[in-house]
Structures are given as C-alpha cells and as structure tokens.
C-alpha cells in the first residue's frame, strides 16, 4: 500500500488580499469625507509680515550671545536672576537658525539648572 501524500496546507492568501483591499477602499472613502474648502476662499498670506520676538523671550544669536528686551545678557544664570519674581518661570527662547544644536542644548540645560520651569523654543512655522 502506498502512503497517501499529505497535502500541504496553503494559507488563505486570497482572504488576506480581500481584507487588505476592503481596508484600502474604506480609508479612501473615509479620507474624502472632510468637506473641502470653498474654491472662492482666499487664505491669508503671512509671508510679508515682519517677524517680531515676543517681549518676554530670550533671544540667542548665531554666536550664542543672549539678549533680553534688547539688552545683552551675560549668561543663562544672570537671566534667571532677573526672573526672581516667579518661582519656576517658563522661559521662551528664540534661537537663531544658525545656532548650533550643541549650544542650544547647553543653554537650555544652564537655564534649567538655574531654576527655569519649562524652556519653550519658539520657531518659525512654514506652511507651503
């Protein structure tokens, strides 16, 4: 007697393909449910606006020199001494684009060790 060959069990790949296809169709339909903007609507352009620092922000130029409200600050610790009226103030930083990441991290650490609560980095946001 010959032994019957065992049939190899095939995985149901057709079922898997059907499920993936249905998910694709679902997400295509769900993605188009949001109402598009009116074609006649003209959005505000901010490209020509003059950028100004918030009045309470610490500005760092590309060489790592700190300034606050137009006055040069010697160190992050000296800046924190000016902020004595707050227990752990939030500090807003505006770094120059050319400032190295190492300098930014170093200044941030110095601010935190001098008593800053949170250090918020203000950046430019571009939507194009």
């Amino acid at each position: 007697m010959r032994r019957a060959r065992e049939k190899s069990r095939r995985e149901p790949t057709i079922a898997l393909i059907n499920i993936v296809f249905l998910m694709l169709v679902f997400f295509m339909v769900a993605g188009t449910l949001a109402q598009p903007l009116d074609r006649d609507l003209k959005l505000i352009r901010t490209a020509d606006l003059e950028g100004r620092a918030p009045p309470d922000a610490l500005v760092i130029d590309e060489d790592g020199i700190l300034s606050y409200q137009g006055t040069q600050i010697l160190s992050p610790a000296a800046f924190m001494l000016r902020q004595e009226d707050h227990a752990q103030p939030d500090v807003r930083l505006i770094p120059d684009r050319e400032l190295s990441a190492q300098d930014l991290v170093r200044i941030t650490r110095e601010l935190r060790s001098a008593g800053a609560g949170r250090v918020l980095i203000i950046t430019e946001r571009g939507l194009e």
Side-chain angles (χ1 to χ4, degrees), residues 45-117:
R45 292 187 50 89
T46 59
D48 299 329
L49 291 179
E50 179 183 339
R52 293 194 181 154
D56 62 343
L58 181 63
V59 179
I60 311 170
D61 71 1
E62 64 182 305
D63 297 325
I65 298 172
L66 306 171
S67 63
Y68 180 69
Q69 297 178 343
T71 306
Q72 186 174 345
I73 305 295
L74 298 175
S75 69
F79 173 75
M80 290 308 297
L81 289 176
R82 292 179 150 213
Q83 308 297 318
E84 288 184 4
D85 54 334
H86 301 294
Q88 282 192 329
D90 292 344
V91 177
R92 289 175 175 76
L93 285 181
I94 302 178
D96 188 274
R97 179 177 294 178
E98 301 299 320
L99 180 71
S100 70
Q102 290 91 0
D103 289 340
L104 180 61
V105 170
R106 177 185 52 80
I107 291 169
T108 303
R109 284 185 181 151
E110 289 177 17
L111 285 167
R112 294 282 294 159
S113 66

Side-chain angles (χ1 to χ4, degrees), residues 21-58:
F21 179 72
L22 288 173
M23 288 175 58
L24 176 68
V25 170
F26 171 77
F27 287 116
M28 285 173 51
V29 170
T32 59
L33 291 180
Q35 287 288 352
L37 291 175
D38 186 12
R39 290 179 191 234
D40 297 331
L41 181 67
K42 304 284 189 228
L43 296 176
I44 298 171
R45 292 187 50 89
T46 59
D48 299 329
L49 291 179
E50 179 183 339
R52 293 194 181 154
D56 62 343
L58 181 63

